[in-house]
Amino acid sequence: MNATETANPTNFSDIVKNSFLDNFASDISISKMMITLGVSFLIGLFIYILYKRVFSGVLYSKSFNVSLIGMTMVTAMVIIAVNSNLVLSLGMVGALSIVRFRTPIKDPTDLIFLFWAAAAGIVAGAGFYALAAIGSAVIGLILFLFIKSSSLETPYLLVVNCESDESEQLVHSHVGQMVKRYNVKQKTVTSGNIEMTLEVRLRDQEGNFVNQITGLGGVKNAVLISYNGDYVS
């Protein structure tokens, strides 16, 4: 071993350390910040429009949808800060680990959009703009095709109150002829009353369908409800 090698020892740990520290920039240019926030805003806006277009739940929440844009931009801003300073990145990891979100997510699709917004913000904040844009476009196309194709045939709940077994059989006979398919979700029998909840897939003109069911002998009333899976387990 010569004198130069002794004076400047280099080992594997030094190489890893230098490579790790080189990934942190001491300063961030204004142009990079504006580009990153602009890209994250456009991706968040795309997620916002897509969520509003494919939403099929009971009540549309505009505040939740707007939060998708905010989550994309805030996440991108955090990643910019993390990439700029090693100490700050470690501090943010500790600070964000104590955050607890208490907002209930009823629809699994909402969880997908939340995770998508956060992931897009992370990728955009890391500077992978092409990945964020192309990945969001592909994800959006897939979600649009699958969600819209599954909602073309809208399910309904038909709640019927009838008097006897004969009127119940009459309801089943007419429902079987007038809808594409149906199945019994619930049946409650009390003295002088039979209440049935049926999941039906209509052909067309649901208003006339209910009118005809109500006009059957022994049927007290019939109610048709738009069904997305939240009413009956």
Side-chain angles (χ1 to χ4, degrees), residues 127-135:
F128 300 103
Y129 306 129
L131 175 60
I134 296 175

Side-chain angles (χ1 to χ4, degrees), residues 129-179:
Y129 306 129
L131 175 60
I134 296 175
S136 296
V138 173
I139 294 172
L141 178 61
I142 293 174
L143 290 178
F144 179 81
L145 293 177
F146 276 87
I147 294 177
K148 295 302 287 185
S149 62
S150 63
S151 62
L152 291 177
E153 192 178 71
T154 305
Y156 289 87
L157 286 181
L158 176 65
V159 182
V160 181
N161 285 276
C162 51
E163 297 176 350
S164 61
D165 293 338
E166 291 75 14
S167 56
E168 178 186 354
Q169 295 300 323
L170 190 61
V171 169
H172 281 292
S173 176
H174 278 72
V175 169
Q177 297 175 3
M178 300 168 64
V179 302

Side-chain angles (χ1 to χ4, degrees), residues 19 25 40 52 63 65 108 117 125 141 150 180 189 199 201 204 225:
S19 176
S40 61
K52 187 175 182 180
S63 60
N65 200 5
L141 178 61
S150 63
K180 294 181 180 179
V189 180
E199 181 182 348
R201 305 299 176 113
D204 52 14
I225 306 171

Side-chain angles (χ1 to χ4, degrees), residues 89-158:
S89 66
L90 297 177
M92 281 193 170
V93 170
L96 295 177
S97 64
I98 65 175
V99 176
R100 295 293 183 269
F101 297 97
R102 300 293 183 180
T103 303
I105 303 298
K106 297 181 179 180
D107 191 345
T109 306
D110 294 347
L111 186 60
I112 294 175
F113 278 91
L114 280 173
F115 187 73
W116 178 11
I122 292 173
V123 176
F128 300 103
Y129 306 129
L131 175 60
I134 296 175
S136 296
V138 173
I139 294 172
L141 178 61
I142 293 174
L143 290 178
F144 179 81
L145 293 177
F146 276 87
I147 294 177
K148 295 302 287 185
S149 62
S150 63
S151 62
L152 291 177
E153 192 178 71
T154 305
Y156 289 87
L157 286 181
L158 176 65

Side-chain angles (χ1 to χ4, degrees), residues 12-219:
F12 181 75
S13 61
D14 294 331
I15 296 175
V16 173
K17 184 187 300 183
N18 293 333
S19 176
F20 179 71
L21 294 176
D22 287 342
N23 290 327
F24 292 90
S26 59
D27 192 15
I28 306 174
S29 62
I30 300 297
S31 60
K32 182 179 179 180
M33 287 189 292
M34 297 303 296
I35 292 174
T36 301
L37 292 177
V39 171
S40 61
F41 170 75
L42 292 177
I43 295 176
L45 182 63
F46 173 70
I47 298 174
Y48 170 88
I49 296 173
L50 182 65
Y51 179 83
K52 187 175 182 180
R53 183 70 181 274
V54 303
F55 178 79
S56 59
V58 180
L59 293 175
Y60 167 76
S61 176
K62 184 177 181 181
S63 60
F64 172 81
N65 200 5
V66 172
S67 68
L68 296 177
I69 300 178
M71 176 172 287
T72 307
M73 298 186 68
V74 170
T75 306
M77 182 179 65
V78 170
I79 296 302
I80 293 175
V82 168
N83 284 339
S84 65
N85 188 283
L86 175 60
V87 178
L88 179 61
S89 66
L90 297 177
M92 281 193 170
V93 170
L96 295 177
S97 64
I98 65 175
V99 176
R100 295 293 183 269
F101 297 97
R102 300 293 183 180
T103 303
I105 303 298
K106 297 181 179 180
D107 191 345
T109 306
D110 294 347
L111 186 60
I112 294 175
F113 278 91
L114 280 173
F115 187 73
W116 178 11
I122 292 173
V123 176
F128 300 103
Y129 306 129
L131 175 60
I134 296 175
S136 296
V138 173
I139 294 172
L141 178 61
I142 293 174
L143 290 178
F144 179 81
L145 293 177
F146 276 87
I147 294 177
K148 295 302 287 185
S149 62
S150 63
S151 62
L152 291 177
E153 192 178 71
T154 305
Y156 289 87
L157 286 181
L158 176 65
V159 182
V160 181
N161 285 276
C162 51
E163 297 176 350
S164 61
D165 293 338
E166 291 75 14
S167 56
E168 178 186 354
Q169 295 300 323
L170 190 61
V171 169
H172 281 292
S173 176
H174 278 72
V175 169
Q177 297 175 3
M178 300 168 64
V179 302
K180 294 181 180 179
R181 63 181 183 274
Y182 79 97
N183 62 289
V184 179
K185 303 290 289 186
Q186 182 180 1
K187 179 179 178 180
T188 304
V189 180
T190 58
S191 179
N193 183 74
I194 299 175
E195 181 179 280
M196 296 184 298
T197 303
L198 311 175
E199 181 182 348
V200 298
R201 305 299 176 113
L202 304 179
R203 293 190 176 94
D204 52 14
Q205 297 180 347
E206 56 269 16
N208 294 336
F209 165 75
V210 179
N211 295 340
Q212 295 179 36
I213 294 296
T214 308
L216 297 177
V219 175

